[in-house]
Each structure stands twice: as structure tokens, then as C-alpha cells.
């Protein structure tokens, strides 16, 4: 079952650890490309009973220079308690690993991204003790990629871009460019990308479009998600058949009936309504005995 966009926005860095190199280039920050990357445990719980977990934690090891600890946090809205938590994460991993920490916050809406990008100081106003300064990736600075040629250059970055632009006016073109490239991509590479985008789009309208594109353009795709998508398509078609029969019979279809039929995703129930639609005296009567 597809879970929240929160998971996709940070899990993509676990799936494609080298993604940060592309993101930092887009953000205009010069970090050397790591020679190796290690996904570290995200549990920052101490001996006290308070449990704390950073979303994703990576160790980036360049060929030359000091390793870097990258904490990736997905943020779906403004939360006044988060900066203190982020400061804790940074201090804790610095103390635990003795390596310099960096925080990247990934957002899907501009307001949250701008809020997360603020510098936050802790300590007295006269003499701040420390200052939190996250890097932020979101719809305000991630590229809008609608050209398949650009998608092919960096599939991981294009995937993150599609997720962060879930509400962009050009979401359709963005997602179409992804399926255009994924059609010719080896299945073992394409499958996790399809899953991440579906997960990342969550309940945004673009998620429905993505499911349609996957069904039409990526027929090779087989997984629990693909079966879920295809079942949705079959249910939608069956619901349209029910309403079409009622319309052909010249019946008035109240909005409540239309909504109940189109909102149903159970093929067995829809099949029962379809049979009743042939003989029911009114549209409401298709629901008789329920």
C-alpha cells in the first residue's frame, strides 16, 4: 500500500545516495562528489526514554578531504518545534560520529520550504550560542524537468523533482517525461522510481494522473502498486458503466447516487449495481438490500 509523501522525500536518498551531489549542484553549493556513501542508522535515541529519529542519515566520503554526515528530513508543514529537534540531531551526530553534520530539508510546498530555510539562533539574544542553517530542497529551487533528455541525465534528481513539484501547473508534463524515459529503462531500475513517485505524490491530484500514466505507458510494471492501480482503473470503468446504463434508460441520476457509485472501488459491489441498473425502477434502487 502506498504510504505518505514524507517517506518518499527522504527515502529516495537511501535508494540513491549519490542524489545529494545533484541536489547540491542545483542549490549552488560546492561539495566534492563522494567516492563512497554509507547509509547509517537513523536512531538517535539516548539512554533516556525519549525516542528520536532523523529521517535519513548518510555518511559521504570524498576521495580527498573529511567525510560528511548528511541528515535528510522531509517536512510537510511548518512546525515550531522542529528547529530545536534539528539542532539536537546535528549536535548528537557530531558528538557520536565526530564528523561535521549537514542538514537537508525536503519540502513539497514553497511556504514550508521558505520557513525551513530560515536561520534559527539558540541562546540569549545578546549572545546566541548556536545557529541552525539547513539546506532546503523544494518547489522553489528544484528544476522543473519536462524534457525526457534532461530526465535521462539524472533519473534520481528527476524523481525528486517530480515529487517536490507535486502541485506544479506542469505536473502532467513532468510526469509524462518520466514515463517516456522509464519505458526504455531496465525494469529493476524503473520499478523503485515508479514506487517512489507514487508514494511521493500522496493524495495530490497528480497522483491520479501518475497512476493513469503508469497503467497506459508502463504496462511491464508488476507489483502490489501496479495491481492496485489496475484495480482502480477497472473499478472506475465499472462505475462508468453503471451510470451509463442508468443514463441510457433515461433515468434522473441524483448527485448522491453519482458520488456513491464513482467513489466505490469494490469491483464485486459495482458488478452487483451494474446488474441492478438494468432493471431498477429508479437510480436509488440499485442500492436496494444494502
Amino acid at each position: 500500500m502506498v504510504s505518505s509523501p514524507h517517506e518518499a522525500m527522504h527515502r529516495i536518498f537511501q535508494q540513491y545516495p549519490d542524489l545529494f551531489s545533484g541536489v547540491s549542484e542545483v542549490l549552488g553549493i560546492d561539495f566534492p562528489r563522494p567516492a563512497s556513501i554509507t547509509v547509517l542508522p537513523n536512531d538517535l535515541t539516548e539512554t533516556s526514554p525519549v525516542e528520536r529519529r532523523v529521517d535519513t542519515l548518510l555518511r559521504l566520503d570524498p576521495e580527498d578531504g573529511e567525510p560528511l554526515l548528511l541528515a535528510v528530513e522531509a517536512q510537510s508543514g511548518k512546525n515550531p518545534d522542529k528547529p530545536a529537534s534539528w539542532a539536537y540531531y546535528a549536535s548528537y551526530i557530531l558528538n557520536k560520529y565526530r564528523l561535521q553534520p549537514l542538514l537537508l530539508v525536503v519540502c513539497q510546498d514553497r511556504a514550508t520550504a521558505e520557513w525551513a530555510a530560515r536561520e534559527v539562533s539558540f541562546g540569549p539574544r545578546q549572545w546566541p550560542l548556536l545557529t541552525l542553517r539547513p539546506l532546503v530542497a523544494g518547489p522553489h529551487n528544484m528544476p522543473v524537468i519536462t524534457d525526457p533528455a534532461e530526465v535521462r541525465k539524472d533519473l534520481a534528481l528527476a524523481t525528486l523533482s517530480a515529487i517536490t513539484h507535486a502541485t506544479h501547473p506542469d505536473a502532467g508534463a513532468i510526469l509524462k517525461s518520466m514515463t517516456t524515459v522509464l519505458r526504455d529503462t531496465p525494469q529493476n531500475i524503473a520499478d523503485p522510481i515508479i514506487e517512489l513517485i507514487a508514494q511521493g505524490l500522496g493524495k495530490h491530484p497528480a497522483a491520479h494522473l501518475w497512476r493513469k500514466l503508469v497503467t497506459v505507458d508502463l504496462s511491464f510494471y508488476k507489483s502490489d502498486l501496479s495491481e492496485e492501480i489496475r484495480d482502480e482503473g477497472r473499478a472506475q470503468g465499472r462505475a462508468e458503466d453503471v451510470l451509463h446504463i442508468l443514463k441510457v434508460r433515461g433515468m434522473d441520476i441524483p448527485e448522491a447516487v453519482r458520488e456513491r457509485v464513482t467513489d466505490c472501488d469494490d469491483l464485486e459491489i459495482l458488478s452487483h449495481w451494474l446488474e441492478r441498473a438494468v432493471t431498477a425502477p429508479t437510480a436509488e434502487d440499485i442500492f436496494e438490500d444494502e
Side-chain angles (χ1 to χ4, degrees):
M1 182 65 67
V2 178
S3 57
S4 70
H6 179 101
E7 292 297 310
M9 285 193 287
H10 73 84
R11 195 164 61 84
I12 187 174
F13 287 88
Q14 298 176 25
Q15 186 77 37
Y16 307 100
D18 195 42
L19 171 59
F20 179 67
S21 295
V23 172
S24 63
E25 184 177 337
V26 169
L27 298 180
I29 312 295
D30 183 22
F31 289 105
R33 186 171 288 272
S36 66
I37 299 173
T38 307
V39 179
L40 300 175
N42 66 340
D43 191 345
L44 307 184
T45 305
E46 299 182 83
T47 54
S48 62
V50 178
E51 182 176 322
R52 301 177 188 269
R53 292 180 187 274
V54 66
D55 286 338
T56 287
L57 183 61
L58 304 174
R59 172 175 170 149
L60 313 182
D61 287 279
E63 290 187 357
D64 298 311
E66 291 295 317
L68 182 71
L69 292 175
L70 176 66
V72 183
E73 282 278 291
Q75 192 65 27
S76 59
K78 300 176 184 179
N79 182 342
D81 295 330
K82 268 297 180 179
S85 295
W86 292 337
Y88 169 85
Y89 297 161
S91 299
Y92 181 88
I93 61 180
L94 173 62
N95 183 64
K96 179 176 181 178
Y97 294 101
R98 299 296 175 180
L99 296 173
Q100 292 304 317
L102 178 67
L103 172 65
L104 174 67
V105 182
V106 184
C107 308
Q108 280 185 308
D109 71 276
R110 188 183 186 94
T112 300
E114 291 176 349
W115 165 82
R118 299 173 308 150
E119 289 189 4
V120 179
S121 295
F122 298 90
R125 176 180 54 80
Q126 301 90 332
W127 195 270
L129 175 63
L130 58 89
T131 299
L132 181 73
R133 190 185 179 201
L135 278 175
V136 177
H140 66 303
N141 58 12
M142 285 293 97
V144 177
I145 305 177
T146 58
D147 182 353
E150 291 300 311
V151 173
R152 287 190 179 91
K153 289 181 182 179
D154 193 332
L155 265 173
L157 181 64
T159 301
L160 180 65
S161 177
I163 292 171
T164 56
H165 290 295
T167 61
H168 194 279
D170 291 332
I174 294 170
L175 297 177
K176 182 64 178 177
S177 70
M178 293 297 304
T179 57
T180 298
V181 173
L182 293 176
R183 273 202 304 265
D184 304 321
T185 301
Q187 189 172 349
N188 64 318
I189 296 174
D191 282 1
I193 291 175
I194 296 169
E195 297 273 352
L196 279 166
I197 293 177
Q199 186 179 42
L201 296 179
K203 297 184 181 298
H204 292 295
H208 181 63
L209 174 59
W210 179 245
R211 289 167 178 265
K212 278 190 172 181
L213 287 171
V214 169
T215 302
V216 174
D217 294 351
L218 305 176
S219 58
F220 64 84
Y221 177 57
K222 298 290 187 294
S223 76
D224 290 343
L225 173 62
S226 68
E227 288 308 307
E228 182 182 324
I229 291 172
R230 290 176 175 86
D231 283 346
E232 287 178 1
R234 287 190 286 268
Q236 183 180 357
R238 194 71 50 84
E240 290 172 355
D241 289 342
V242 172
L243 296 175
H244 179 68
I245 288 177
L246 294 174
K247 180 181 177 181
V248 168
R249 293 184 62 207
M251 289 190 180
D252 177 56
I253 306 176
E255 189 59 30
V257 172
R258 187 179 300 276
E259 287 184 4
R260 184 171 175 184
V261 171
T262 55
D263 288 347
C264 181
D265 58 5
D266 189 311
L267 281 169
E268 186 175 343
I269 292 175
L270 286 166
S271 296
H272 177 65
W273 291 347
L274 182 62
E275 292 175 2
R276 292 195 57 80
V278 177
T279 58
T282 69
E284 290 91 339
D285 285 328
I286 67 172
F287 307 131
E288 191 175 302
D289 301 327
E290 292 184 15

